Structures are given as C-alpha cells and as structure tokens.
Amino acid sequence: MAPAVALAAAVAALTVDHDMVGTLSRLCVDCAEVAGASTVGIMLAEPSGQLEVMAASSHTAEELDLYELQAGEGPCIDAFRTGASVSCASAQQVITRWPLFGGHAAAAGVQAVQACPLRWRGLAIGAINAFFASPGSLVDEERQVVQAFADIATVAVIQMSQPVARDLAGITRAALSRRAVIEQAKGVLAAQTGLDMAVAFDRLLAMSDGSGRPLETLAREIVDTAIRHR
C-alpha cells in the first residue's frame, strides 16, 4: 500500500463513526505495511504518566510493548518522555541503548526500531512503536510517515473522547478503558477454539473486517455471548 493511500484511508476513517480500538489497530496494521515493519504498537499514558498498551497490529507487538513496560526502558518510553522520535538501526544498537528490553527484543527477532510520540498541543500523550525484522535506518521520508501515523492516532484519541472528557488525563483514561474488552474477547476466542492468543487476535481482526462491524462492538458481542452461556 502506498503511503499516501494508507494515510488518506486513516484520515477518512476519522470522518465517520468508528470505534477507537478498531481504528487504532487498523492504523497499526497499515503503518506496519507502509513502513515495512514486522509489527507496530501504540501506547497511551495514564493520568499518572504510566504508559499502557492501547492497540497493536499483532499479538507480538503487544508482547514487545508489555515487556518494554515491565523493563521500564525502550523506544516507546523514550519517545514519550522526550517528545521526539527514537531510532535504532540494528539489534546491537537496541541492546546497547536498552539492555533489559534489547535482549528480549533481539530474541524475538527485532533488528531495528522506530518510535514516534503521540503529541497534542505540545504534550506527549503516548507513542507508536515500529519493530523491524531486518536491520537498517529509515530514511527521513519514512520516519515522517511513521510520525504521520502517530499524529493521526493522536487525533483519533482526542476526537473519540470529546466532548465527554476535555482534559488530557480524562481523554487517555477513557481511551485505555476501551482496550479491556479487546483483551477479554481474545481470551474468549482462545478458550473456545484452542488458538493461542496471537492467532486469536488475528482472528478477531479478520472477523471485524469480514463482517464490517467495529472491532469494539464485535469484541463486546463475543464477551457478552460467552457470559450468557456460562
């Protein structure tokens, strides 16, 4: 997919009714395709300043982001704290810069990373992580594309939360609360089908795309149905 086409589609999704987690998950998938990344994840900050996983293109991205949070170091954390993009062009650079996270990332096949902040009026509210299976630096235009996806993600978060919450703390809190149902639905699918969580996540995205139903709506239906049939 050409960058212009992917960015146009992402912007167009904001002009119609949409569910935030589904929109951000699809944005991660498109960002990975356009940037040539193996997987992409988005984190948002709680009011306390602690980052949490918000959306991802795959379960692998979720696991990498979660380990980054557990380690307390990594590209997404640095991009959020500094408000600037972060790049490493090789696994060795990743390990040197973030010893705890780097070793885990390299073992998972990560050879390069690019992280960009989600910024709103000068303040960082989160970051986007792009993980690459091959070493190498992104050219300036490619980095700008990843930042453009981060900017669109920011607008999606802000737009979906207003006018209910007008302060940034309330906005990010409301956004993160929408994530829980996706995790619950993944667990239900995994339990019902015997699939592992990574494949269950892919199945959930495919079901949303195939049915034309928003990801959050579909996830709630799956969870509610499971609860009714206990």
Side-chain angles (χ1 to χ4, degrees):
M1 183 185 299
V5 174
L7 291 171
V11 172
L14 304 183
T15 66
V16 297
D17 288 338
H18 62 278
D19 67 301
M20 187 188 302
V21 180
T23 296
L24 294 181
S25 298
R26 176 51 55 188
L27 187 146
C28 287
V29 171
D30 290 345
C31 181
E33 181 177 350
V34 170
S38 58
T39 194
V40 170
I42 290 175
M43 294 189 196
L44 285 184
E46 293 183 318
S48 65
Q50 176 67 36
L51 288 171
E52 285 196 17
V53 176
M54 178 64 202
S57 64
S58 69
H59 188 69
T60 299
E62 291 182 0
E63 290 182 328
L64 286 167
D65 282 347
L66 286 171
Y67 190 82
E68 185 174 346
L69 295 177
Q70 292 170 2
E73 62 178 27
C76 214
I77 293 174
D78 282 5
F80 168 67
R81 289 176 176 170
T82 65
S85 63
V86 175
S87 303
C88 282
S90 69
Q92 187 56 53
Q93 286 184 17
V94 175
I95 294 171
T96 300
R97 181 161 182 171
W98 307 290
L100 293 176
F101 169 74
H104 181 87
V110 174
Q111 294 292 312
V113 298
Q114 174 68 46
C116 294
L118 272 62
R119 297 176 296 214
W120 180 251
R121 297 178 179 173
L123 296 175
I125 64 170
I128 189 170
N129 253 338
F131 301 100
F132 298 85
S134 300
S137 300
L138 298 183
V139 300
D140 286 342
E141 181 179 346
E142 291 170 327
R143 283 194 290 269
Q144 290 171 7
V145 169
V146 176
Q147 183 62 65
F149 275 104
D151 293 341
I152 293 171
T154 301
V155 173
V157 171
I158 298 297
Q159 178 197 55
M160 195 70 178
S161 298
Q162 291 184 353
V164 176
R166 297 191 179 277
D167 62 292
L168 281 179
I171 287 170
T172 55
R173 186 188 300 113
L176 288 167
S177 68
R178 296 173 178 270
R179 176 69 191 172
V181 70
I182 307 299
E183 293 303 309
Q184 291 169 355
K186 284 165 50 180
V188 170
L189 284 178
Q192 291 178 340
T193 63
L195 300 172
D196 63 30
M197 291 292 279
V199 179
F201 180 76
D202 292 340
R203 173 73 63 84
L204 190 61
L205 286 178
M207 290 170 66
S208 176
D209 289 342
S211 66
R213 284 178 290 172
L215 184 60
E216 283 182 51
T217 301
L218 177 63
R220 291 186 188 282
E221 290 176 357
I222 291 172
V223 172
D224 290 345
T225 299
I227 291 173
R228 287 196 303 269
H229 289 84
R230 279 181 177 176

